[in-house]
Each structure stands twice: as C-alpha cells, then as structure tokens.
Amino acid sequence: MTNVLVCCVILAIVASASSKCYEWNSLFVFNWNLLAPKWANDAMYPAGVIDRRLFNETNRLLMAKNAIIGANADVIMLQEVQNDWLEEIKLALGNTYDLAIYKEHEPIFQPSAFLRINIKQGLGNAIFFKPRRLTLLDTRDFLTTSSGNRVVFATFEMAQVNRPPITFVNSQLEKGILGIGTRLFQVNSIHQITKMIKKDLEQRFSLEFEPQVVWGGDFNTLSDMQTYARMSNLGYSNVFDVLKLPTPNNYYGSLVFPHPISYVFVPTQSVQRKLIEIAYSFVNNEGKMCALKYI
C-alpha cells in the first residue's frame, strides 16, 4: 500500500516571539481533505489521476486515522468527512479531543446537478480540538451555495493564556453552476459572515480584542486563479506564502494535481503586526512529525 504523505498544515499561532512562551502560546492546526469514500472511484477520478490502491476504503481509513493521530495537533479541520468515517475518527481520537462541530452538506434538488447532489449526502466538514488546550466559546454553520455546501466555524480561547479568541473557519468550495463565479461568491459570503461573527462575539463576551481568524479548507482553486487572488484582496495570506515555501500538493502520497487546492489562510495584517507567527511541520512516510519553527 502506498505510504501516506499528508497534505496538511501544522500552523503555530504564536502570541509571543519569546521561546519561553512557546509551549502555551502556540497552537498547531491540522487541515486535510480526507477524500470521501463515496467519491473515491473511477467515475470521479479517471485513470492516471490517482493510485487505484487508494480506492481500498479500509486501508485509506487506517492511513487517515494514523496521520491525524500522528500530527498531534491542537485543532483538526477536516473536509469530505463521511458520517461513518466521523465515528471511526472520533473513536480513534478518544478522550484527547472533543468534536467542536460537524455539519453535513445539505442536498438540495436541482435536476441539472442531481448526481452531484446525491453523492454529497452524508458528507460534511468537521473541527476537532484538544479541550486541555482550548475552551470552546461558539460554533456556527452556514449554507454557502444553492447546491448545499456548508461552512463551519468554531471559536476558542486558549487555556492559561490571556490572548484574543481565535475563530477557525473550515470551508469546502465548489465550482457550481456559475463556474469560478460560484467560488468567488462563496469566498465573499464567508468573509462577510466571519466579520459578522467576530462582531457578535465581541459584544456577547465583552472582548477586549477582536478574535483572530484561521481560515482553512479545500478551496478547489489554483494559486494563479481568481479565487486565490480574491482571498488576498480580502486581506488573507496563505501560510506557505508567508513562509516563502511552496504549498504541499501530495495527497495520500499519490494523488496527482498540478498544484495544491487546499490551503490555510490567516489575516495578512495580523502577520505583518506579528500578532500571528507561523511555523510548519509535516507528517512523513513513517507518520512522524518534523517541525521547522519560525518563531
């Protein structure tokens, strides 16, 4: 079986540049599209695009669980989470993690897209977290397209650290009936919803500082396309652009895309003001985590 090289981001959100503060003032974030079992077939992925051995659901689920556990992240953002896999992952994570939110995409009948909507049933986005590191303040979910895609939000406070809360956004964009226009619409909508959530949280919890934002997911776009450019125009930076590193494009070791389509974005202004600093780690073929810390 092909070894797994996880397409993920381990993002260290650092409240202070002092290494003395690193243990409690950093968070590690894992972002990954799982490749839903009902989508892992010849109809969705023509020959030559993906290693056919990955269509073995049992082996792929084992690799996924090992990679997620091996990352040992504080926050786990997953896309294409099939509900039966969700239960398997929850069991594997045990008491170390709590599920902040999981919402399935909503199937809405459209004759022109009936097949696509049918195979979307039972799939959704999930956010897990370590309760010993984080306190869950708020969760939300919103429908972002007429064909049922949902975005989920979870806002946390860091335990033992007097820092602003962090809102995690987990989205999966799609082409839709408007092509690229659908993804642009989704990005704009999610941005406006995020602003609304931040304002509401400030009022509800009497926050001294507005929440920081970490926006991850499967954006289904290349770095030279309009959706990616719109994220920049809205004030977000891909964490790998900040680090001046190429975004990884490996997916279970053998899925061949010309470029990455999954990213983690953070507010550009927060990076410039050093409110957020970034480190990157990866899970190698043996499942170990190697860290390069830019702190």
Side-chain angles (χ1 to χ4, degrees):
M1 185 64 198
T2 303
N3 286 328
V4 59
L5 178 59
V6 180
C7 180
C8 71
V9 170
I10 307 296
L11 171 66
I13 304 169
V14 185
S16 169
S18 170
S19 59
K20 297 178 181 178
C21 300
Y22 183 78
E23 181 178 358
W24 281 108
N25 287 4
S26 63
L27 288 177
F28 288 89
V29 181
F30 181 98
N31 178 66
W32 196 16
N33 183 313
L34 288 175
L35 179 58
K38 62 173 59 180
W39 286 13
N41 53 56
D42 289 304
M44 293 297 293
Y45 292 99
V49 174
I50 190 170
D51 188 330
R52 268 22 197 186
R53 291 174 295 178
L54 292 178
F55 291 168
N56 184 315
E57 181 178 345
T58 301
N59 288 343
R60 202 171 70 258
L61 176 58
L62 178 60
M63 288 195 299
K65 290 191 292 186
N66 288 341
I68 293 169
I69 293 170
N72 193 31
D74 299 303
V75 177
I76 301 168
M77 294 191 289
L78 303 174
Q79 304 89 43
E80 289 192 29
V81 185
Q82 204 161 291
N83 44 28
D84 54 343
W85 274 38
L86 178 71
E87 297 306 315
E88 291 277 355
I89 292 169
K90 286 166 62 177
L91 185 63
L93 292 174
N95 295 327
T96 305
Y97 291 86
D98 285 348
L99 177 63
I101 185 170
Y102 171 73
K103 290 293 181 180
E104 294 180 7
H105 302 304
E106 181 176 328
I108 298 175
F109 182 75
Q110 288 182 351
S112 62
F114 181 74
L115 175 61
R116 181 169 178 78
I117 290 173
N118 258 351
I119 62 175
K120 195 184 296 182
Q121 288 179 312
L123 299 179
N125 297 334
I127 300 177
F128 290 89
F129 71 102
K130 286 184 177 178
R132 70 176 183 84
R133 295 295 319 277
L134 297 159
T135 300
L136 181 62
L137 293 182
D138 183 83
T139 60
R140 317 275 179 105
D141 70 278
F142 289 88
L143 198 64
T144 60
T145 65
S146 61
S147 56
N149 269 34
R150 287 189 179 277
V151 58
V152 296
F153 302 80
T155 300
F156 304 96
E157 283 186 324
M158 295 178 67
Q160 303 186 20
V161 176
N162 183 23
R163 301 297 300 171
I166 303 173
T167 296
F168 289 87
V169 185
N170 185 7
S171 62
Q172 184 173 4
L173 307 187
E174 65 173 350
K175 185 176 180 180
I177 59 175
L178 299 177
I180 292 176
T182 300
R183 288 194 290 269
L184 292 174
F185 174 79
Q186 288 176 280
V187 164
N188 290 335
S189 297
I190 294 168
H191 175 62
Q192 292 302 320
I193 293 168
T194 303
K195 290 172 59 177
M196 178 190 71
I197 290 174
K198 288 170 60 177
K199 184 175 181 180
D200 178 58
L201 291 172
E202 288 180 62
Q203 295 173 348
R204 283 175 55 200
F205 295 100
S206 301
L207 300 178
E208 184 178 354
F209 304 101
E210 69 175 21
Q212 293 294 328
V213 175
V214 176
W215 184 346
D218 177 6
F219 288 78
N220 275 307
T221 188
L222 306 182
S223 60
D224 59 352
M225 296 182 69
Q226 294 178 21
T227 307
Y228 193 95
R230 181 63 58 86
M231 292 295 295
S232 177
N233 293 338
L234 292 174
Y236 293 93
S237 294
N238 174 8
V239 294
F240 287 98
D241 291 344
V242 175
L243 294 174
K244 296 180 171 55
L245 293 172
T247 305
N249 65 343
N250 295 76
Y251 192 95
Y252 281 114
S254 55
L255 181 62
V256 182
F257 286 123
H259 297 286
I261 58 174
S262 295
Y263 309 95
V264 171
F265 289 91
V266 293
T268 304
Q269 189 175 72
S270 295
V271 174
Q272 293 171 343
R273 296 172 59 192
K274 296 190 180 302
L275 299 176
I276 292 179
E277 296 185 6
I278 299 166
Y280 169 59
S281 300
F282 64 92
V283 180
N284 66 16
N285 286 347
E286 286 73 40
K288 298 176 182 177
M289 186 166 64
C290 306
L292 301 173
K293 299 177 181 177
Y294 297 77
I295 299 172

